[in-house]
Amino acid sequence: MVGDDGLARCSWGANDAEYRRYHDEEWGVPRHDERRLFEKLCLEGFQAGLSWITILRKRPAFRAAFFDFDVEKVGAMGEPDIERLLQDAGIIRHRGKIQATIGNARATLALGESLSELMWGFAPDATGRRRPQSWSDVPAVTAESTAMSKELRRRGYRFVGPTTMYALMQSTGMVDDHIAGCFRAA
């Protein structure tokens, strides 16, 4: 879809200003930074059942509420923090997702290896991968996202289902699902 600025983009990123910025600057860009990967993991979990634009618009509040996703600080949070966050209208006030974020920080601290190396170990080989021609060519789940989900769950992570992990793979550049014709399509 061609946006009002004349650039062809994936249809979801063409009109809304926040989506356009996210599409143009973040989505599909390879990310290896531990903190930003942990943030994406948490925000993708909060997104479950909601639209991504809701999360994008609340991201500054999430960053403030969760210490800019500093794993050690989030892992040290307890019940008083959960109760405080349940009153914070700036974020998604879902007890299970808040508890999962804290638990996922603790699971990350217990990994004994890099979160980036663990996650990127599930990135599919891009060799021979065909560029999607339309959204019907983009899967919701892959063997790799299913394997990542299983491994993360085995290690104690929550809100990391296969569909959520595929969305994380897209957002962190582990896969490039920009549609053919999009200016970001390589």
Side-chain angles (χ1 to χ4, degrees), residues 4-181:
D4 55 11
D5 60 359
L7 286 177
R9 290 180 177 83
C10 299
S11 59
W12 63 267
N15 292 318
D16 180 88
E18 185 63 24
Y19 260 160
R20 183 172 31 231
R21 188 210 55 74
Y22 180 70
H23 171 275
D24 293 359
E25 299 172 16
E26 288 185 60
W27 195 73
V29 175
R31 302 271 184 230
H32 295 275
D33 178 85
E34 298 283 319
R35 184 178 290 202
R36 297 293 68 115
L37 283 172
F38 178 67
E39 175 184 30
K40 289 282 188 174
L41 178 77
C42 297
L43 293 180
E44 292 289 354
F46 271 102
Q47 186 270 333
L50 303 169
S51 68
W52 185 244
I53 193 67
T54 300
I55 302 304
L56 280 179
R57 290 180 178 148
K58 290 180 175 282
R59 185 164 57 175
F62 275 112
R63 286 177 172 166
F66 290 103
F67 307 103
D68 196 30
F69 293 95
D70 179 302
V71 176
E72 289 185 9
K73 290 180 180 177
V74 175
M77 294 172 81
E79 192 59 36
D81 298 295
I82 294 168
E83 293 304 320
R84 176 181 49 80
L85 293 175
L86 287 170
Q87 305 306 311
D88 185 344
I91 67 167
I92 306 302
R93 295 176 289 182
H94 184 287
R95 180 179 291 277
K97 292 177 180 182
I98 293 168
Q99 289 171 326
T101 298
I102 296 167
N104 290 349
R106 293 173 183 162
T108 300
L109 291 168
L111 276 179
E113 66 182 288
S114 158
L115 180 62
S116 178
E117 288 177 16
L118 173 63
M119 293 176 128
W120 276 88
F122 292 97
D125 182 3
T127 307
R129 188 169 190 273
R130 297 186 61 209
R131 165 109 14 236
Q133 300 299 304
S134 71
W135 285 112
S136 64
D137 295 335
V138 178
V141 174
T142 62
E144 294 87 357
S145 72
T146 299
M148 179 190 282
S149 171
K150 286 180 181 177
E151 181 59 19
L152 289 173
R153 286 181 191 184
R154 186 185 74 75
R155 293 177 183 241
Y157 288 83
R158 294 178 35 221
F159 283 92
V160 291
T163 302
T164 301
M165 291 303 91
Y166 191 71
L168 180 138
M169 288 177 153
Q170 291 172 307
S171 70
T172 60
M174 292 179 200
V175 295
D176 178 0
D177 279 339
H178 286 283
I179 302 298

